[in-house]
Amino acid sequence: MSPLIVFGVIAAYFAMLMVISYFTSKKSDNDTFFTGNKQSPWYLVAYGMVGASLSGVTFISVPGEVGNTAWTYLQFVMGNMVGYAVIAFVLVPLFYRLNLISIYEYLNDRFGMKSYRTGASFFIISQTIGASFRLFLAALVLQIAFFNAFGIPFWVTVFITILLIWLYTYKAGIKTIVYTDTLQTTFLLAAVVISIVVILQHLDLKIGDLYGVVSSNPMSKIFEWDWLSNRNFFKTFLAGVFITIAMNGLDQNVMQKNLTCRNIKDAQKNILWFSVTFFLSTMLFLILGILIYEYAGSHNIAIPERTDDLYPLLALNYFGILAGTVFLVGIVAAAFSSADSALTALTTSFCVDILDIRKKQSSQKNIRQYVHIGFTLVMFTVIVIFNAFNDSSVVSAVFKVAGFTYGPLLGLFAFGLMFKQKINDKLVPYICILSPILSLVLDLNSEAWFNGFKFGFEILLINAMITMIGLWMLTQRKNTVITNSN
């Protein structure tokens, strides 16, 4: 694809985002940035969240991963649906009742300041890594499609990409994102649909042939029953449930959008309708995955060593200008919709949870803007480092990392909701640091220790359980001390 076309697409897309930013940032303040003044229509939030949740990871990695694991990813998404129901009927009412800006304020009310700061810190680490991985994909595509033609190094591509995101979010934050996400979701879904249609045309097939092509392909296998496999249905389904609760319900990035709705019922409708749309959208990406392998096979195109590269390779070099253009728009939309909300959520959490910005009446806006700039630079650095060391599928990498960093968060919230006991708040940080370390040791040695058993995404559950056991030990120890002193 011509670099000039790529530049024109990016420039036009960014111009639309800046127009939205201009209108949504009028009379904005910190409340606008953090909560959108709690005036967001639920249906707008639900639709926009599809693009943010799918992200560049889904857009590129899920179709490519079909060649490795077929449709077993759908087992995970089935679990997601149950997780979203838990979020809608358990977590949303809790957070609205407490009138929270940051959801980690709950940990302060339930356990104490150490637990509160620990939970927020684990979110900041998790979100920084996850968002950087996703944005890395978009920067990589832009590098191949445009910047390589001019000999521009990758770090410059990353810097320009993240600078554009900072420009349209720094004034109104979450209010702007609610509206830009609707635009980005539209482009993302249009891109995958148009890609499917274009591939069918290249294969001399009609829409009516799609079901037959997909159902007859061995890559459409959904269920894996082998217990030793890390794609086993029960392990993957349960992981889908709890990763959704952890990475969505206990994630400031996602819940910040839900908390901009006018009331609890609107927020619940938002979550439930979003979950249905998310499931159907994932199906589209899995269908696309089968089609790109069908196309590569029929045209004798070698499959890249990294399956993440297959869809970009075909879209930018084989499908023609239309498909290449919509692919580019889709990946940019996916990356921006994920990274912009992550940047805003990181800024919100650090300002509210770590700096307690509400006590600094005279300088709140300046502090928020400096923090926003700081996280922009942090994400830039992480992406550059990740590019130097990446050697695995980004889908697996994102959720694997999340299994270790979101585990303590899931354990903290689960213990707080399931039990009423007080704990020794001062020791919570040590438990939350030890838990991922023990989980990592188990994961690295599981095949040798457990007769070939491999952990998959369910490592999150092990991590959370270790955290909960540690918290219970703190509770028992405190009770024992009280008994002895009497």
Side-chain angles (χ1 to χ4, degrees), residues 362-379:
S362 61
S363 56
Q364 285 189 21
K365 186 175 181 179
N366 289 338
I367 292 173
R368 186 252 297 168
Q369 290 177 339
Y370 288 138
V371 171
H372 200 217
I373 293 172
F375 274 109
T376 302
L377 296 176
V378 168
M379 288 179 63

Side-chain angles (χ1 to χ4, degrees), residues 307-324:
T307 56
D308 290 346
D309 296 335
L310 180 58
Y311 182 31
L313 171 71
L314 298 179
L316 296 175
N317 297 285
Y318 292 92
F319 292 165
I321 293 178
L322 174 61

Side-chain angles (χ1 to χ4, degrees), residues 22-257:
Y22 172 77
F23 285 106
T24 56
S25 62
K26 290 182 177 180
K27 299 180 180 179
S28 62
D29 53 19
N30 273 6
D31 284 338
T32 305
F33 188 96
F34 295 144
T35 69
N37 303 115
K38 292 191 178 294
Q39 293 297 315
S40 300
W42 70 265
Y43 48 86
L44 208 62
V45 179
Y47 181 68
M49 280 175 60
V50 173
S53 297
L54 291 174
S55 79
V57 172
T58 304
F59 195 78
I60 292 179
S61 290
V62 168
E65 189 68 14
V66 167
N68 298 325
T69 58
W71 275 23
T72 56
Y73 181 65
L74 200 60
Q75 301 173 125
F76 180 78
V77 179
M78 292 174 184
N80 293 164
M81 302 293 286
V82 177
Y84 287 125
V86 174
I87 293 170
F89 295 110
V90 177
L91 295 180
V92 165
L94 172 66
F95 295 151
Y96 264 86
R97 186 170 66 249
L98 296 175
N99 194 28
L100 305 180
I101 294 177
S102 167
I103 62 174
Y104 308 112
E105 294 175 279
Y106 163 79
L107 298 176
N108 188 30
D109 292 338
R110 178 63 180 83
F111 298 125
M113 184 59 69
K114 292 288 186 180
S115 300
Y116 172 34
R117 293 282 169 81
T118 300
S121 298
F122 269 88
F123 160 74
I124 290 170
I125 295 170
S126 305
Q127 191 62 216
T128 300
I129 295 172
S132 298
F133 281 2
R134 295 179 178 100
L135 192 56
F136 163 79
L137 278 176
L140 191 62
V141 172
L142 294 178
Q143 182 73 24
I144 295 170
F146 177 71
F147 291 97
N148 274 345
F150 300 95
I152 297 174
F154 182 73
W155 72 266
V156 176
T157 305
V158 174
F159 182 79
I160 292 173
T161 303
I162 202 165
L163 176 63
L164 296 179
I165 293 171
W166 177 83
L167 282 173
Y168 72 83
T169 59
Y170 84 99
K171 282 189 176 180
I174 196 66
K175 182 179 180 180
T176 295
I177 288 167
V178 166
Y179 287 89
T180 56
D181 274 359
T182 61
L183 176 71
Q184 290 165 164
T185 297
T186 300
F187 280 127
L188 188 146
L189 294 179
V192 69
V193 170
I194 292 173
S195 293
I196 289 173
V197 172
V198 169
I199 295 173
L200 289 175
Q201 291 175 346
H202 277 272
L203 295 174
D204 294 323
L205 297 171
K206 298 178 180 179
I207 293 293
D209 301 320
L210 188 58
Y211 176 80
V213 171
V214 171
S215 61
S216 63
N217 193 300
M219 292 183 190
S220 62
K221 173 189 174 183
I222 298 174
F223 299 104
E224 173 61 69
W225 303 108
D226 180 6
W227 180 249
L228 294 179
S229 171
N230 61 1
R231 310 297 298 188
N232 172 268
F233 170 77
F234 297 104
K235 293 191 290 183
T236 308
F237 180 85
L238 287 175
V241 174
F242 289 99
I243 281 181
T244 296
I245 295 171
M247 294 185 66
N248 289 270
L250 306 181
D251 188 303
Q252 179 67 20
N253 182 3
V254 177
M255 294 307 294
Q256 188 168 357
K257 297 174 185 177

Side-chain angles (χ1 to χ4, degrees), residues 446-475:
S446 63
E447 289 186 79
W449 292 353
F450 307 119
N451 195 30
F453 178 88
K454 293 181 181 179
F455 284 111
F457 298 151
E458 75 277 4
I459 193 66
L460 171 75
L461 306 183
I462 303 299
N463 200 339
M465 288 177 62
I466 293 173
T467 302
M468 293 180 69
I469 291 170
L471 296 176
W472 183 258
M473 290 173 64
L474 295 184
T475 302

